[in-house]
Amino acid sequence: MDFSVDDAARERIEALRAFGREHVRPAGLEADREGRPIPVGHAYFDAAMQHGYGRTRWGREDADAGASNTRMALLLAEEFAYWDRGVMIANPGPSLPEQSVIGMGTDEQKERYLGPFVAPDRPRWACFAMTEPGAGSDAAAIQTRARKDGDGWILNGAKCFIGSASRSDWILVQATLDPTKGRAAQRAFFVEQGTPGLGPFKTEKKMGLKAYESASFSLTDVRVPAANLLGGEARYERKAGFKAAMQTFNAGRPVIAANAVGIGRAALDEAIRFAREHDLLGRDRVRDRIEAMARKVRMARLVCLRAGQLADLRRANIQEASMSKALAATVALESASLGLELLGAAGARGDALIEKLYRDAKAMDIVEGTGQIQRMIIARQLVGLPRN
Ligand SMILES: Cc1cc2nc3c(=O)[nH]c(=O)nc-3n(C[C@H](O)[C@H](O)[C@H](O)COP(=O)(O)OP(=O)(O)OC[C@H]3O[C@@H](n4cnc5c(N)ncnc54)[C@H](O)[C@@H]3O)c2cc1C
């Protein structure tokens, strides 16, 4: 298994490292101390835009080439999260729904919804809303209803924990035509900000990752035109083939795993820095903790890169993707915990980086499929059962 990267890739990681040191870590610490997401007009977003964030991959040959290199994307995801994973998600851009729009959107939808992200005049956001107060892991249980009404659709329901929702130009809302029919009855709709019946938005209070907004909101008789159904009506006649294609490889969960590796590595470096400054490196028990952190972080990175390599080869990686996420999220938490132990009282203070990393790390086991769900997927695959 060759996980080496070329000089151009190394340069991109170095550039991100400098950006992370100068802009990302300070913005993340500030948001954490103030207990609120980075405000929309914050100077961080100007710096992020200058660094190239906020733009869509749609129609960009250079970006498309980069996207096919999952390993590269994973190393960048690790590096960003090393400096602050919450800030990474706060970045402007079409984020989570971008891939769905590129893969399933009609030409008009790509133009209308991704067009403004080609050369954005200001920081712009978009988001994907799946989770509901009664439907998290079990996404088939969502209750937000979509009802055909003349030439449009009426949406009613409630969503929670949706990243950057109140600042998004549009939200891709997952809804069901019939809650008794599971995933087959689900559709996604573009809901533009300001549409009557959308909101109000309430920012959730989170234990970590405070730099980005997670919001709950409701949809009350929200009317959208027929053109806002992702992919248009025609898409649903050829859905089965698409679903099969999506299930063969997965690039999303390894990104969360890479983020977790970044957090684990940050905890390791913080522990070494502290031990060096306090002349503790001569103690066996201090070195034991450092060794355990380093070993586990490296192990998690290897599993994560293997999942990425399989995605690059367009080979099935469901097991590896789930293994990478289940493992790396646990390792990040363990690494931050060992770091906290090593720093002792100094680490437990509310303004210590290590305690922030501990709070940030926990969320990596929850988002995009909890640890239990990943372990269930792995076990079902191992014994030859379908995913669910
Ligand atoms: C920081 C953060 C950001 C988020 N951002 C978004 C976002 O942008 N968009 C979005 O749509 N959602 C988002 N979410 C929601 C996230 O996807 C859900 O929290 C996640 O899917 C888990 O759902 P839940 O919280 O309802 O927990 P539940 O599904 O209720 O699970 C509770 C516990 O039960 C376990 N469990 C559930 N089912 C099973 C089972 N069958 N077998 C064994 N154990 C099980 C779970 O592992 C978990 O430990 C975010 C969440 C967080 C914390």
Side-chain angles (χ1 to χ4, degrees), residues 96 128-131 135-138 160-163 206 209 212 214 363 366-370 372-373 376:
L96 219 52
F128 175 60
M130 169 71 91
T131 304
S137 302
D138 185 8
C160 61
F161 263 101
I162 309 304
K206 291 185 296 200
L209 305 178
Y212 77 98
S214 297
I366 302 173
V367 297
E368 292 197 31
T370 64
Q372 280 96 334
I373 297 298
M376 268 173 47

Side-chain angles (χ1 to χ4, degrees), residues 167-227:
R167 61 187 68 185
S168 286
D169 288 2
W170 49 268
I171 301 172
L172 190 64
V173 173
Q174 192 82 0
T176 176
L177 309 185
D178 180 349
T180 64
K181 295 205 170 123
R183 284 174 209 270
Q186 289 188 9
R187 304 285 185 271
F189 297 87
F190 294 95
V191 179
E192 295 178 23
Q193 198 64 253
T195 305
L198 174 65
F201 293 90
K202 177 180 162 285
T203 303
E204 313 273 6
K205 279 197 188 306
K206 291 185 296 200
M207 69 183 282
L209 305 178
K210 295 190 182 181
Y212 77 98
E213 170 205 310
S214 297
S216 57
F217 60 89
S218 47
L219 300 118
T220 314
D221 291 331
V222 170
R223 188 169 212 293
V224 296

